[in-house]
């Protein structure tokens, strides 16, 4: 039932009343002096916007037990977004007693986005599936109290200034050394593909069968595993048994993915997150759907398809094999996944951490890349059935437009999720944004590794863990080499590798993500031979490359000393992040060393969580690829991968 406007007669009063709160300078404005008539459902009682915090109370009719009460408002720019709403909680029964309860929210900090207008108050009776709405007729919010604190988006001063590539990281990632971390990572990663007793083409997330049990084939994790496998396939010599071995793995993975798309007991169609190792659907409670997996699967199978065509000179036999086994044959998964992405990208789903239901930057990035590259792949195969390429490109453009909404200028970072704060993630910092760039950048200038907003977010995410993890206080290894910041998922994380009610830890893959981003940023800058610093990206360079002493609104060419200092600083910090993984990951030359779990303890640095996490090994290889790219370009990467793949 729609409630009458606030100017209506009755218990909702059009005139302003206010009383002094405990803080003399704060004012509380009263809109309804008592509960409304039965059947009205909800009415705003009071509000106060004092010192940048919002306090609300409302009368809510006790029609049933399960209730959802939400206040909607406009921000300081008079704009409505998914964040401009505020849930209320039960507070107390009213006085005198009635059929209404008092619901409230208190001390909600809102000064960053600001608030200008109250628009609607809604109460949904979840048991009766009925919603009551009070139209607040655009009540202009009157601030009171002290001036809100200034928004502090500053990053701390760096604790070190590493420069240039280091010999110890050269050794750690040396493709020719049988005991290097790179060689071991390749071996451990491949060991997790097609494990004994599993369905062909599946990938075990970790060699962890209990506490925690990661013995599943996750759609996302399996697809990301294929990224280094495709790179190895591409680099090794043609017409060799090792190249055939990598091709077999990738074709097997494609068949497994195709089976998953039509497996019995699917709960959410192609958005199903994980499967048992026999590739039957996991039907227990889980965060579903997860709509990033179909996109990442399509991305890396398209990479394989292109590499396979190139290796076979695009001959007719190879083209038909790619169409039947990868693209649109009866047991081919790619086109089905792309169509699912095209049809479902705008719907809410779970995030990369399987915790938050909403609209996510990571998901949007990989979905856009998948559709954009899907259009190119369709044209290469000569498939224009129903204008498929144009359709994919059009939707990719729509996703691109939506990604712009994730930039939060007031906070100075990219939002990981477009909506209300969930799971207490009030810092708004999440390394999922960095991973979204690494997995979703389509080499077309849209949120790439040198984008000012990406850089601003990266430095905030990295430095956000300095005061979270005690081991971040150790800045050097035993030889005096700089250790990079240990990076977790997000500062408020409560998953400790086993329980969700503990304290989060640094992860190997997230720490390596910062290294990979810095390497990719370096490659992009050296290719462009120019750097433009803005006020948005300036904090990034001030932290990671202070010796450059760059200024906002300035451009530096590759022959300038500032440019050289930037490049050397990024190399140094990239290596520092890799060194942290080696230092806390037990990398060594002895038998049994070099294993990487999911996490390392925030206090001791001891490996913890799921053992032999496949994604951790994949992150070593992709970071290594990008480091070698800085040194030797595309040819250098090819040589490194060829040695690694054939070794």
């Amino acid at each position: 039932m729609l409630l009458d406007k606030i100017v209506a007669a009755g218990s909702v009063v059009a005139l302003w009343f206010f009383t002094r709160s405990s803080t003399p300078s704060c004012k509380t404005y009263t809109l309804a002096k008592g509960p409304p008539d039965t059947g009205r459902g909800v009415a705003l009682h009071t509000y106060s916007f004092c010192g940048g915090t919002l306090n609300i109370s409302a009368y809510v009719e006790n029609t049933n037990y399960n209730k959802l009460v939400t206040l909607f408002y406009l921000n300081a720019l008079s704009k409505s977004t998914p964040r401009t709403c505020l849930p209320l909680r039960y507070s107390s029964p009213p006085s005198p007693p009635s059929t209404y309860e008092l619901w409230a929210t208190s001390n909600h900090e809102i000064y960053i986005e600001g608030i200008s207008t109250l628009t609607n108050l809604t109460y949904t009776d979840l048991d009766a599936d009925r919603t009551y709405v009070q139209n607040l007729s655009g009540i202009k919010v009157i601030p009171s109290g002290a001036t809100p604190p200034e928004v502090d988006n500053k990053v701390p001063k760096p604790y070190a200034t590493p420069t240039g590539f280091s010999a110890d990281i050269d050794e750690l990632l040396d493709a020719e050394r049988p005991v290097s971390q790179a060689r071991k990572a390749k071996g451990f990663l491949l060991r997790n593909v097609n494990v004994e007793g599993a369905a062909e083409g599946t990938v075990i997330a970790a060699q962890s069968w209990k506490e925690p049990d990661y013995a599943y084939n996750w759609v996302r994790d399996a697809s990301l595993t294929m990224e280094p496998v495709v790179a190895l396939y591409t680099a090794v010599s043609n017409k060799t048994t090792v190249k055939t071995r990598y091709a077999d793995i990738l074709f097997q993975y494609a068949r497994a993915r195709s089976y998953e798309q039509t497996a019995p007991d699917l709960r959410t169609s192609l958005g199903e997150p994980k499967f048992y190792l026999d590739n039957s659907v996991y039907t227990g409670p889980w965060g579903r759907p997860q709509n990033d997996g179909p996109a990442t699967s399509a991305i890396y199978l398209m990479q394989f398809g292109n590499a396979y065509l190139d290796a076979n000179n695009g001959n007719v036999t190879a083209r038909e094999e790619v169409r039947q086994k990868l693209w649109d044959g009866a047991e081919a998964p790619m086109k089905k996944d792309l169509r699912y992405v095209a049809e479902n990208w705008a719907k809410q789903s779970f995030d990369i951490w399987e915790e938050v239901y909403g609209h996510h930057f990571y998901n949007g990035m990989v979905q856009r890349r998948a559709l954009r590259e899907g259009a190119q792949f369709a044209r290469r195969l000569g498939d224009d059935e129903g204008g498929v390429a144009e359709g994919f490109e059009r939707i990719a453009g729509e996703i691109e437009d939506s990604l712009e909404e994730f930039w939060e200028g007031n906070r100075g970072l990219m939002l990981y999720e477009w909506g209300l704060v969930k799971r207490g993630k009030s810092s708004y910092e999440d390394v999922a944004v960095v991973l979204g760039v690494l997995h979703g950048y389509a080499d077309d200038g849209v949120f790439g590794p040198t984008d000012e907003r990406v850089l601003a977010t990266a430095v905030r995410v990295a430095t956000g863990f300095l005061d979270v993890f005690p081991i971040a206080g150790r800045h050097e290894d035993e030889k005096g080499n700089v250790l990079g910041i240990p990076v977790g998922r997000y500062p408020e994380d409560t998953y400790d590798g086993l329980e969700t009610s503990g304290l989060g830890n640094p992860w190997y893959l997230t720490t390596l993500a910062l290294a990979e981003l810095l390497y990719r940023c370096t490659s992009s800058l050296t290719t462009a031979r120019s750097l433009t610093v803005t006020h948005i990206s300036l904090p990034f360079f001030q932290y990671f490359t202070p010796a450059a002493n760059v200024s906002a609104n300035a451009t530096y060419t590759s022959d300038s000393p500032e440019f050289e200092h930037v490049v050397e600083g990024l190399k140094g910090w990239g290596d520092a992040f890799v060194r942290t993984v080696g230092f806390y990951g037990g990398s060594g030359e002895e038998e049994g060393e070099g294993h990487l779990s999911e996490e390392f303890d925030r206090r001791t640095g001891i490996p913890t969580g799921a053992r032999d996490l496949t994604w951790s090994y994949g992150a070593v290889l992709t970071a290594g690829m990008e480091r070698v790219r800085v040194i030797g370009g595309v040819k250098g990467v090819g040589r490194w991968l060829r040695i690694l793949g054939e070794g």
Side-chain angles (χ1 to χ4, degrees):
M1 176 186 296
L2 290 176
L3 296 182
D4 295 334
K5 295 182 177 181
I6 196 169
V7 294
S11 61
V12 182
V13 181
L15 300 176
W16 292 110
F17 295 86
F18 66 86
T19 58
R20 291 188 179 274
S21 65
S22 58
T23 303
S25 59
C26 290
K27 295 181 179 179
T28 298
Y29 295 89
T30 301
L31 284 82
K33 290 189 287 186
D37 296 336
T38 300
R40 303 291 292 273
V42 66
L44 185 63
H45 175 38
T46 65
Y47 91 83
S48 170
F49 182 45
C50 178
T53 63
L54 184 65
N55 297 278
I56 295 288
S57 67
Y59 293 110
V60 178
E61 193 165 4
N62 190 20
T63 56
N64 271 301
Y65 181 76
N66 292 299
K67 305 176 180 70
L68 180 65
V69 183
T70 309
L71 174 76
F72 294 86
Y73 59 89
L74 303 181
N75 63 20
L77 301 176
S78 296
K79 184 178 180 181
S80 174
T81 77
R83 297 187 300 284
T84 55
C85 55
L86 182 63
L88 277 66
R89 298 178 182 274
Y90 173 81
S91 176
S92 65
S95 179
S98 76
T99 58
Y100 282 79
E101 303 168 335
L102 276 172
W103 285 53
T105 184
S106 61
N107 297 324
H108 179 71
E109 292 188 349
I110 204 171
Y111 62 89
I112 295 179
E113 291 89 357
I115 182 171
S116 61
T117 307
L118 305 179
T119 57
N120 291 290
L121 181 65
T122 68
Y123 156 42
T124 299
D125 179 338
L126 299 173
D127 296 322
D129 193 23
R130 183 179 183 183
T131 298
Y132 302 86
V133 179
Q134 181 184 18
N135 183 346
L136 298 176
S137 296
I139 295 174
K140 300 299 181 183
V141 174
I142 303 173
S144 63
T147 302
E150 292 185 5
V151 180
D152 183 10
N153 293 332
K154 296 179 181 178
V155 298
K157 292 183 178 180
Y159 58 79
T161 56
T163 59
F165 286 139
S166 301
D168 63 317
I169 307 303
D170 291 339
E171 290 188 2
L172 194 76
L173 298 176
D174 189 345
E176 297 186 271
R177 294 178 67 245
V179 294
S180 74
Q181 183 70 65
R183 286 284 287 270
K184 290 186 175 183
K186 185 207 76 171
F188 291 141
L189 179 140
L190 293 177
R191 190 185 68 167
N192 285 2
V193 180
N194 293 334
V195 298
E196 184 178 354
E200 194 175 69
T202 57
V203 179
I204 190 172
Q207 293 282 345
S208 183
W209 302 81
K210 61 180 180 179
E211 296 183 348
D213 182 3
Y214 275 37
Y216 296 95
N217 178 41
W218 262 273
V219 175
R220 175 195 313 104
D221 294 39
S223 68
L224 297 177
T225 301
M226 294 303 121
E227 180 182 9
V229 176
V230 172
L232 292 168
Y233 165 82
T234 304
V236 298
S237 303
N238 286 343
K239 299 180 181 180
T240 59
T241 56
V242 69
K243 196 175 190 79
T244 301
R245 179 192 175 202
Y246 291 129
D248 288 344
I249 290 173
L250 290 157
F251 279 124
Q252 290 165 2
Y253 165 72
R255 285 196 298 273
R257 177 61 190 148
S258 177
Y259 175 80
E260 293 163 6
Q261 294 172 335
T262 57
D265 301 321
L266 290 175
R267 300 289 185 88
T268 51
S269 184
L270 275 62
E272 206 61 36
K274 69 177 184 176
F275 295 76
Y276 292 103
L277 292 180
D278 64 1
N279 227 13
S280 61
V281 181
Y282 176 81
T283 56
W286 210 255
R288 52 170 66 88
Q290 294 182 25
N291 291 342
D292 58 326
T296 52
S297 179
I299 286 169
Y300 298 118
L301 281 177
M302 281 187 286
Q303 283 189 356
F304 172 51
N306 280 317
Y308 191 79
L309 291 172
D310 293 342
N312 290 278
N313 299 314
N315 64 50
V316 175
T317 301
R319 289 172 66 86
E320 185 60 22
E321 194 173 10
V322 167
R323 288 203 65 149
Q324 292 302 316
K325 295 182 178 181
L326 302 180
W327 182 245
D328 61 357
E331 296 184 353
M334 289 166 53
K335 197 171 181 180
K336 298 184 186 75
D337 272 336
L338 290 169
R339 281 177 167 164
Y340 178 85
V341 170
E343 293 168 2
N344 293 276
W345 74 270
K347 298 177 182 177
Q348 295 189 87
S349 65
F350 276 84
D351 66 326
I352 191 174
W353 310 129
E354 307 182 304
E355 296 174 334
V356 173
Y357 185 72
H359 297 286
H360 309 285
F361 179 77
Y362 179 92
N363 293 10
M365 284 292 288
V366 296
Q367 288 166 339
R368 176 187 178 273
R369 178 184 176 186
L371 292 177
R372 187 178 183 279
E373 295 181 357
Q376 297 169 353
F377 196 78
R379 290 193 176 100
R380 181 171 188 181
L381 293 179
D383 179 6
D384 198 29
E385 177 188 1
V388 60
E390 289 77 8
F392 287 164
E393 286 179 332
R394 175 180 55 78
I395 297 170
E398 294 174 5
I399 298 174
E400 180 179 335
D401 292 340
S402 74
L403 289 172
E404 294 291 333
E405 298 294 328
F406 286 88
W407 171 247
E408 176 55 75
N410 289 330
R411 297 183 183 275
L413 49 66
M414 298 293 300
L415 300 174
Y416 61 90
E417 188 258 347
W418 204 52
L420 294 173
V421 173
K422 298 172 184 175
R423 297 184 65 86
K425 297 170 71 169
S426 57
S427 70
Y428 289 83
E429 298 163 0
D430 193 320
V431 77
V433 173
V434 174
L435 291 167
V437 175
L438 299 182
H439 301 158
Y441 181 51
D443 293 324
D444 59 357
V446 177
F447 290 111
T450 59
D451 184 288
E452 61 179 355
R453 296 162 294 184
V454 170
L455 299 181
T457 305
V459 69
R460 288 279 299 282
V461 168
T463 57
F465 293 102
L466 285 170
D467 296 328
V468 173
F469 299 141
I471 60 170
R474 176 161 188 170
H475 300 155
E476 295 180 348
D477 66 9
E478 66 281 354
K479 296 181 180 180
N481 297 312
V482 175
L483 292 172
I485 303 166
V487 177
R489 301 191 300 175
Y490 49 90
E492 302 85 0
D493 197 359
T494 60
Y495 178 60
D496 62 7
L498 185 61
E499 303 290 342
T500 58
S501 57
L503 293 173
N505 295 308
W507 288 35
Y508 295 108
L509 73 92
T510 54
T511 304
L512 286 163
L514 265 296
E516 183 175 345
L517 180 72
L518 296 185
Y519 293 148
R520 291 180 67 168
C521 179
T522 305
S523 290
S524 296
L525 291 176
T526 53
T527 298
R529 301 180 62 82
S530 177
L531 162 68
T532 297
V533 180
T534 68
H535 72 281
I536 292 174
S537 63
L538 182 61
F540 173 88
F541 295 104
Q542 288 176 326
Y543 190 85
F544 291 119
T545 65
N549 196 29
V550 295
S551 302
N553 304 315
T555 298
Y556 304 93
T557 57
S558 59
D559 58 353
S560 67
E562 292 88 352
F563 188 95
E564 181 180 353
H565 282 305
V566 165
V567 167
E568 293 304 305
L570 295 179
K571 290 177 183 178
W573 271 105
D575 275 11
F577 282 111
V578 174
R579 186 176 295 112
T580 294
V581 169
F583 184 75
Y584 292 113
S587 64
E589 300 185 3
E590 300 299 324
E591 185 69 24
E593 293 184 324
H595 290 264
L596 294 178
S597 62
E598 182 180 67
E599 309 170 22
F600 48 109
D601 188 89
R602 63 194 283 135
R603 296 184 181 88
T604 66
I606 295 173
T608 188
R611 296 167 294 283
D612 284 313
L613 189 81
T614 313
W615 193 349
S616 294
Y617 298 127
V620 170
L621 298 176
T622 55
M625 288 163 53
E626 296 307 324
R627 184 179 190 269
V628 174
R629 193 184 309 278
V630 176
I631 299 170
V634 175
K635 289 184 178 180
V637 175
R639 180 180 179 277
W640 185 78
L641 287 167
R642 185 169 62 256
I643 296 170
L644 192 66
E646 296 176 354

